[in-house]
Amino acid sequence: MKFDLSGAVLAALGAAILFGGSTPFAKQLVGDLSPFLLAGLLYLGSGVGLTLIRTIRDRGWKAPGLPGHEWPWLLSAIGFGGVLGPLLLMVGLAHTAASTASLLLNLEAVLTAVLAWVVFKENADRRIVLGMGLIVAGGIALSWSEPSTGTSAWLGPVAIAGACLSWAIDNNLTRKVSASDALFIAGSKGLIAGAVNTTMGLMLGAQWPGVTLSGPAMIVGFLGYGVSLVLFVLALRGLGSARTGAYFSTAPFIGAAISILVFREQTSPYFWLATGLMGIGVWLHLTEHHAHEHLHEAMRHSHRHVHDEHHQHEHNFEWDGTEPHTHAHDHAPMTHGHAHYPDIHHRHEHS
């Protein structure tokens, strides 16, 4: 695939900018709030904000229309990505510089792709595998850059790696429901995860902070976790898990740049070595090309679409010609060849 400014690519890059920028700002709040409470406030800000936007958009509350078989995927994604992931990140930020933590978040793209290839059978080629290897090498270099002061020196990087694994599982599970309403998916994740983490924080003795702390935390969460996740879901719909993760892996560089330029964090030679390795790895992802003849099997689903080469169907209702639009529709079997992503219409196996 050539890098282009399609809607899915722009959505992935927008998600990366918002999430990458949120990490150094969340780091500024770590010392003042418990990890559970901070994770809870970040997701509450996301959930409350997105639910309000969805209610305004739909002029009141409307059922999400999520098929029954997709609810387990969504709830599992919330558990890994909304509860466990942010908690581990807050623990990691408490023991790691924000710039280092930002680059370590590149491991999310690696783990997302590995799970997509091994478990969910997305296509992988040598270029993508090599890029992932370089990102892993950069992560190892960053771990070496932390002061050697015993177990605590590894706690931060290990916790952040655990957060990346949690989000990688979340990304692949969310891919299963990515054709559904992105605002509902992201908003429900924020509300449930925020409520769980906040309750756990208060039960463990944390005190509810004043508006000077809770307000900024919820704003960071709304932008960096809420709006970012909506864009990420839209990108999953068009790019698949591994490729969305590749574009999203630009997020750590944004976070690292803010940490250095805005918050004046010091860096080491290992940091710049990791930047180079990870940068080359991301470039390999973004310049991938994938095209071959493939079979579209018959399927029925509902999502926002236009009548392109994959949507040549009739309507059983009165239609005024407006596009894009949303309704349940059928896809007839079809074989053709073109450059494509593993999006919701190209989840085929490769020989």
Side-chain angles (χ1 to χ4, degrees):
M1 72 192 176
K2 294 182 179 180
F3 182 87
D4 57 47
L5 296 182
S6 67
V9 170
L10 284 176
L13 293 175
I17 291 170
L18 290 172
F19 181 73
S22 73
T23 301
F25 287 99
K27 168 71 174 177
Q28 305 307 307
L29 299 168
V30 166
D32 299 312
L33 296 168
S34 76
F36 275 110
L37 192 55
L38 179 54
L41 288 172
L42 289 170
Y43 269 97
L44 278 179
S46 164
V48 172
L50 294 179
T51 301
L52 179 61
I53 291 174
R54 181 172 182 267
T55 302
I56 294 173
R57 182 199 67 183
D58 295 341
R59 298 180 181 178
W61 175 258
K62 290 185 178 180
L66 193 70
H69 69 275
E70 292 188 358
W71 279 101
W73 296 116
L74 176 59
L75 294 176
S76 298
I78 291 172
F80 281 103
V83 178
L84 185 58
L87 172 61
L88 289 171
L89 177 61
M90 296 309 111
V91 172
L93 284 175
H95 297 85
T96 311
S99 55
T100 297
S102 292
L103 283 192
L104 278 172
L105 290 175
N106 266 308
L107 294 176
E108 180 185 346
V110 177
L111 296 170
T112 295
V114 169
L115 289 176
W117 300 333
V118 175
V119 179
F120 296 96
K121 307 304 180 183
E122 278 194 16
N123 176 63
D125 62 24
R126 295 177 185 175
R127 189 181 189 88
I128 294 295
V129 173
L130 176 59
M132 293 300 180
L134 290 172
I135 292 173
V136 170
I140 294 172
L142 285 174
S143 298
W144 284 341
S145 71
E146 293 298 299
S148 300
T149 56
T151 304
S152 62
W154 290 93
L155 178 59
V158 168
I160 292 170
C164 291
L165 176 59
S166 298
W167 282 322
I169 296 172
D170 170 22
N171 293 340
N172 281 282
L173 296 177
T174 301
R175 175 180 181 262
K176 293 286 190 177
V177 300
S178 60
S180 299
D181 186 354
L183 275 177
F184 172 76
I185 292 170
S188 59
K189 178 181 290 187
L191 289 176
I192 296 173
V196 170
N197 276 319
T198 300
T199 300
M200 292 178 68
L202 295 175
M203 290 177 62
L204 291 173
Q207 299 295 315
W208 186 264
V211 69
T212 56
L213 286 177
S214 61
M218 294 182 74
I219 291 172
V220 170
F222 170 67
L223 295 173
Y225 289 71
V227 179
S228 175
L229 180 56
V230 170
L231 294 173
F232 191 89
V233 171
L234 294 175
L236 280 174
R237 187 180 299 171
L239 303 176
S241 301
R243 275 74 177 179
T244 298
Y247 284 101
F248 192 72
S249 60
T250 58
F253 299 99
I254 296 165
I258 292 174
S259 300
I260 296 168
L261 298 175
V262 177
F263 297 110
R264 304 296 181 183
E265 285 193 356
Q266 299 299 310
T267 60
S268 69
Y270 286 109
F271 175 88
W272 295 109
L273 172 63
T275 299
L277 290 170
M278 290 180 168
I280 296 172
V282 171
W283 175 78
L284 287 171
H285 293 169
L286 301 185
T287 53
E288 178 208 6
H289 180 80
H290 181 73
H292 62 92
E293 186 174 81
H294 53 277
L295 168 67
H296 291 271
E297 296 182 352
M299 67 181 300
R300 179 177 177 82
H301 62 179
S302 175
H303 64 92
R304 189 175 174 87
H305 63 277
V306 297
H307 284 199
D308 56 17
E309 62 178 322
H310 295 102
H311 296 89
Q312 298 296 324
H313 51 256
E314 299 293 331
H315 295 86
N316 57 6
F317 56 89
E318 187 174 343
W319 176 48
D320 62 5
T322 301
E323 291 185 335
H325 58 188
T326 303
H327 63 89
H329 54 276
D330 294 297
H331 290 271
M334 175 175 60
T335 299
H336 63 176
H338 60 90
H340 60 278
Y341 302 94
D343 58 24
I344 58 176
H345 298 109
H346 296 89
R347 293 180 179 172
H348 49 259
E349 295 185 357
H350 296 75
S351 58

